[in-house]
Amino acid sequence: MARPRSSQAATPRRPAQVQSKDRATSSVAARRAVLKRIKDEGVEHVLFWFTDLEGHLKSFAITPNEMEGALDDGMGFDGSSITGFNRIEESDMVAIPDPTTFQILPRPVDDHGHELGAKVGRMICDVVKPDGTPYEGDPRYLLRLALERMRKAGFDTFNVGPELEYFLFEDDKGTETLDEGGYFAMTTQDAATEVRNDTIHALESVGIQIEYHHHEVAPSQHEIDMRYDDALVMADKTMTYRIVVKEVAAWHGYYATFMPKPLFGENGSGMHTHMSLFKGGRNMFFDPKDPHHLSKTAKSFIAGLLVHAREMSAVLAQWVNSYKRLVPGYEAPVYVAWSQRNRSALIRIPLYKPGSEQATRAEIRCPDPACNPYLAFAALLHAGLEGIEKGYELPDEMTTNLYRLSAEERKQRGIVALPGSLGEAVEELAGSELMRKALGEHIFPRYVELKRKEWDEYRTQVTQWEKDRYLAAL
């Protein structure tokens, strides 16, 4: 795989000078296994990946000769150059590679099936301070803290299965589609089937198990679904998925985007996220005696998601454009309710199949694929655990199409809507004690500041729509 544009090296303004110290958090055996693979498979470079606060992938490259020291001690970088990280006077950071994430990146092939370009590996890193303590601004560490809260609550696994949708366009200069195919299209209109097939091969080559793929509702819109996994592993996979999708599209001369709503009048791209809690290998969401086959744990978890949905919206849908998707009429959830079959509800409970008790789960439909998965999964887990620990009661199921109810009918039933803009969502976030706890005292104020700034930049623009509507009339 060629070095992707969106994961270009996070070039420091000055090299971070950090005192050498054995900061590795992995076993000696795991580190030796990585070094052996690098040598045996002729890897020429290894990319160290981590994310900034908004979920943009950052990387820098290490040569094989430097790998042993990097595995033992990490590599220093200037955190002041990374969005949401520390100011320049306290900017020295260290990236500690996680050996369990080592993969050799896929490469394009020529007409004869020969791989092109250098053989490159990648490892996902935890970010620490020079003394080796975790950096509170590292989104990966934040998710680790949420999982620690889960373990203290008596569970051992938070399984997550996100469904990422995306668009393929002719290039990154516009939104010229490749086809006019619709949902599950299997005709010549679905021009990107070959691109999807190559994407699946590339994803599987880096250890991402794929369950199925298909054309989505909008023209040139696609979905490739990963098999569920532990939340931290899945967040790593989500970051990898996004860059692989973009890279394979580029091999074919196209551009892939996870922008939530690139086309006016068409469905946007969501990231429906399936969740369940396990303990000792058992799904704690399942109850054979309940009419919906949901345990008390599951009901309280779902209630937590509903109660805190507005507060965490700015994390699950974090861009101005996210709220162009979250409007009635385009299959996107707007109203805070739950149902087993009603897809207009925010949370859906997939139908139970006898013998599939382990698959009992809740699906939240408001996240979009441009979120930071580490922050998103952490926020969802905290909200669900809050419901469990405080014994939230699950409201009645909503079986009616919520889009067809009047505002007064929704009010009578106690159904609220998600925020209608990033500005509204940020203020909900800013006033949330739970999200302050979920994001931590380091990330929380920085994240609120970033999103307020984005909203202010947007709301002060004069758009073409305004000129067309008002210039000649006013």
Side-chain angles (χ1 to χ4, degrees):
M1 176 182 280
R3 196 168 177 178
R5 284 173 294 181
S6 54
S7 65
Q8 287 295 316
T11 305
R13 294 171 184 160
R14 58 182 176 79
Q17 302 298 320
V18 293
Q19 183 177 358
S20 181
K21 178 180 179 180
D22 188 352
R23 286 175 277 254
T25 55
S26 55
S27 68
V28 172
R31 284 175 267 163
R32 286 177 178 169
V34 168
L35 291 173
K36 186 175 188 303
R37 279 195 68 188
I38 290 171
K39 181 178 180 181
D40 291 349
E41 301 188 40
V43 174
E44 298 173 58
H45 306 282
V46 178
L47 296 178
F48 280 16
W49 285 2
F50 60 96
T51 63
D52 69 10
L53 210 54
E54 294 182 311
H56 298 296
L57 189 61
K58 304 294 179 181
S59 80
F60 54 89
I62 301 296
T63 62
N65 289 338
E66 297 294 320
M67 275 303 299
E68 184 172 1
L71 284 165
D72 291 343
D73 199 39
M75 294 295 293
F77 68 94
D78 177 7
S80 67
S81 300
I82 307 301
T83 300
F85 277 28
N86 274 347
R87 299 181 298 274
I88 197 164
E89 66 269 20
E90 49 187 18
S91 61
D92 287 346
M93 296 285 129
V94 181
I96 305 292
D98 181 347
T100 66
T101 67
F102 179 80
Q103 293 286 349
I104 295 175
L105 295 175
R107 293 181 285 168
V109 296
D110 61 21
D111 294 338
H112 304 288
H114 299 133
E115 291 185 317
L116 303 173
K119 183 174 280 191
V120 178
R122 80 94 163 93
M123 300 178 76
I124 295 174
C125 298
D126 292 299
V127 179
V128 303
K129 293 180 279 193
D131 63 2
T133 58
Y135 173 51
E136 302 91 339
D138 177 18
R140 200 168 189 252
Y141 175 63
L142 195 80
L143 180 52
R144 289 187 186 276
L145 290 178
L147 293 169
E148 182 59 33
R149 179 184 179 186
M150 173 202 70
R151 284 186 282 271
K152 289 179 179 178
F155 308 99
D156 52 39
T157 307
F158 179 43
N159 279 325
V160 179
E163 301 173 350
L164 285 82
E165 298 168 343
Y166 62 93
F167 283 85
L168 285 175
F169 294 132
E170 288 286 351
D171 53 45
D172 62 355
K173 304 297 190 296
T175 55
E176 185 177 348
T177 58
L178 307 186
D179 61 63
E180 294 302 318
Y183 191 61
F184 274 29
M186 191 56 198
T187 70
T188 54
Q189 290 180 306
D190 184 0
T193 299
E194 183 181 353
V195 183
R196 286 207 309 271
N197 288 337
D198 286 351
T199 302
I200 289 167
H201 292 318
L203 290 169
E204 290 177 337
S205 76
V206 291
I208 297 177
Q209 186 176 350
I210 301 301
E211 291 194 325
Y212 60 88
H213 67 106
H214 58 87
H215 196 289
E216 258 298 338
V217 174
S220 220
Q221 186 184 32
H222 305 272
E223 180 178 318
I224 299 173
D225 288 341
M226 299 177 279
R227 181 171 175 78
Y228 71 86
D229 212 327
D230 167 79
L232 184 64
V233 175
M234 183 52 74
D236 291 342
K237 287 182 177 180
T238 300
M239 295 304 303
T240 306
Y241 174 108
R242 294 198 305 213
I243 202 65
V244 168
V245 166
K246 284 180 170 289
E247 190 70 14
V248 175
W251 296 349
H252 288 265
Y254 302 133
Y255 181 74
T257 180
F258 293 93
M259 181 178 177
K261 184 81 167 186
L263 297 178
F264 173 72
E266 300 287 354
N267 283 20
S269 291
M271 189 182 79
H272 301 165
T273 302
H274 299 253
M275 298 164 286
S276 57
L277 288 170
F278 275 62
K279 179 180 180 181
R282 288 182 57 243
N283 188 344
M284 304 307 292
F285 276 15
F286 178 72
D287 183 348
K289 299 178 182 179
D290 182 75
H292 294 96
H293 300 99
L294 293 175
S295 67
K296 186 178 185 303
T297 293
K299 291 178 180 179
S300 293
F301 187 97
I302 296 165
L305 299 177
L306 295 174
V307 168
H308 299 289
R310 286 179 55 84
E311 301 165 38
M312 59 182 171
S313 185
V315 176
L316 307 181
Q318 67 160 313
W319 308 102
V320 163
N321 183 253
S322 299
Y323 296 85
K324 305 296 178 71
R325 166 183 170 256
L326 295 174
V327 294
Y330 295 97
E331 298 190 14
V334 177
Y335 302 113
V336 180
W338 76 279
S339 177
Q340 189 156 52
R341 303 188 68 175
N342 184 359
R343 291 175 184 265
S344 67
L346 178 67
I347 295 175
R348 186 178 74 92
I349 309 302
L351 286 175
Y352 165 71
K353 297 178 183 178
S356 299
E357 292 80 7
Q358 298 291 72
T360 302
R361 62 199 185 276
E363 173 196 6
I364 189 166
R365 299 170 63 81
C366 62
D368 66 52
C371 69
N372 183 332
Y374 299 101
L375 300 188
F377 298 163
L380 291 168
L381 181 54
H382 275 287
L385 291 174
E386 195 80 358
I388 292 170
E389 293 171 7
K390 294 188 175 178
Y392 289 1
E393 291 291 331
L394 187 63
D396 292 339
E397 178 186 10
M398 289 294 166
T399 57
T400 306
N401 186 333
L402 299 172
Y403 298 134
R404 295 179 180 173
L405 296 178
S406 67
E408 185 59 33
E409 287 173 323
R410 287 192 295 272
K411 183 177 180 180
Q412 289 174 356
R413 300 186 188 202
I415 299 172
V416 299
L418 291 174
S421 68
L422 179 62
E424 185 182 351
V426 172
E427 296 315 310
E428 287 282 345
L429 174 71
S432 170
E433 286 304 312
L434 176 63
M435 287 301 102
R436 180 180 289 275
K437 179 167 64 174
L439 298 181
E441 291 297 334
H442 185 97
I443 287 181
F444 182 81
R446 285 168 167 81
Y447 190 84
V448 169
E449 180 184 3
L450 276 172
K451 294 293 106 180
R452 279 176 171 162
K453 181 180 179 183
E454 181 184 343
W455 175 246
D456 283 344
E457 288 177 358
Y458 172 74
R459 71 181 182 84
T460 56
Q461 296 293 317
V462 179
T463 65
Q464 189 61 44
W465 182 91
E466 292 169 281
K467 294 176 184 177
D468 292 343
R469 187 174 183 92
Y470 301 128
L471 193 60
L474 302 179

